Amino acid sequence: MAAELGYDGVEVMVFTDAVSQDADTLARLSKHYGVKVGSVHAPCLLMTQRVWSPDPWERLRRSAIMAERLGASTVIIHPPFAWQRGYAQNFAEGLARMAERFAPIRFAVENMYPVKMAGRKFVPYAPHWDPTIEGFPDYTLDLSHCAASSTDAFALLTRMGGALAHLHLGDGSGPGRDEHAVPGRGTQPCAEVLKHLGEIGFRGTIAVEVSTRKVGSRARREADLAESLAFARKHLVYGD
């Protein structure tokens, strides 16, 4: 579908699906369809805590090996969960070692959001869902997560500064809802962020991250993804 719609590449999210875990199969698919892999999302969701290994460092190491194999420049990683105490305690130092070992791959820590359970809001990440509070060499800015956390996207973009390595382009309309809507259908400044990145000559990676699980048909899915691509190309304009 990415090839048919004219996308330059894809982001691979390592998931429970076996193909997403197999770099050789992904490399064959990439070559067959003529679509490169620009970024690899490490398996750091709740449902992927056993993918490859229960050890989060091993999962990150294998994500980097996959990125090298596929020629991807960026590995996306979430902040540690609060209950991953050892991992969280050594997260910054461990990332630095990974970055040195797998240079020039960038390990881009993504902004997340607080969650609500039983009517109470809590932060499931350590030390925080906002990685700029701790400070890292590379970041992923997720605009849908900005909506979910009621975060000013431009303020967060400013804090990330030149350390921004990757953008998840999706929209959202309110706190507590990680919608990953088609850009332009929510309240986030998707167009303005893209315009700004073009103006500063951003050379990181950008991935459309929209949810199409409930669209109901392949035609609707294609239409949403085509609209997202058109939006990105309209607003991401580089100067001379």
Side-chain angles (χ1 to χ4, degrees):
M1 191 176 290
E4 291 171 359
L5 295 176
Y7 276 81
D8 299 310
V10 296
E11 175 174 318
V12 169
M13 173 171 274
V14 181
F15 204 64
T16 53
D17 176 81
V19 173
S20 73
Q21 303 170 25
D22 189 332
D24 290 337
T25 299
L26 291 169
R28 288 194 294 270
L29 289 168
S30 177
K31 181 178 180 180
H32 175 78
Y33 288 103
V35 175
K36 67 182 180 181
V37 176
S39 50
V40 172
H41 196 306
C44 45
L45 303 176
L46 276 174
M47 62 283 289
T48 58
Q49 293 299 292
R50 297 286 174 176
V51 169
W52 283 336
S53 169
D55 179 0
W57 289 119
E58 176 63 12
R59 295 198 298 272
L60 187 54
R61 185 188 72 85
R62 292 188 62 168
S63 298
I65 291 172
M66 174 179 282
E68 282 189 329
R69 171 72 173 86
L70 299 174
S73 61
T74 314
V75 171
I76 292 83
I77 182 74
H78 292 178
F81 287 116
W83 54 85
Q84 295 175 307
R85 294 182 180 178
Y87 179 50
Q89 185 176 9
N90 300 298
F91 188 59
E93 294 81 359
L95 273 188
R97 289 193 296 270
M98 285 282 181
E100 182 178 5
R101 177 179 177 182
F102 290 100
I105 291 172
R106 301 179 74 177
F107 293 83
V109 186
E110 184 173 3
N111 63 296
M112 301 304 291
Y113 53 93
V115 300
K116 186 177 288 188
M117 292 184 64
R120 299 180 63 185
K121 184 185 291 186
F122 72 100
V123 177
Y125 302 100
H128 203 268
W129 54 262
D130 178 355
T132 65
I133 290 176
E134 176 79 4
F136 295 99
D138 296 296
Y139 297 110
T140 293
L141 174 63
D142 188 302
L143 296 175
S144 176
H145 294 175
C146 287
S149 61
S150 298
T151 298
D152 183 314
F154 259 102
L156 184 56
L157 177 61
T158 299
R159 292 198 298 275
M160 291 179 173
L164 178 67
H166 187 69
L167 175 69
H168 276 160
L169 181 60
D171 216 329
S173 57
R177 299 174 61 198
D178 185 19
E179 296 174 80
H180 290 295
V182 171
R185 296 186 187 177
T187 61
Q188 294 306 293
C190 298
E192 292 83 356
V193 167
L194 289 170
K195 180 181 178 182
H196 173 75
L197 294 182
E199 289 173 347
I200 66 172
F202 176 68
R203 296 301 175 190
T205 44
I206 299 174
V208 165
E209 191 176 60
V210 300
S211 178
T212 63
R213 294 186 185 92
K214 299 179 181 179
V215 297
S217 70
R218 181 183 176 90
R220 285 280 306 281
R221 179 172 290 110
E222 287 182 344
D224 282 356
L225 293 174
E227 181 181 335
S228 300
L229 179 59
F231 184 99
R233 288 189 169 153
K234 175 182 177 180
H235 297 289
L236 182 68
V237 179
Y238 289 92
D240 295 334

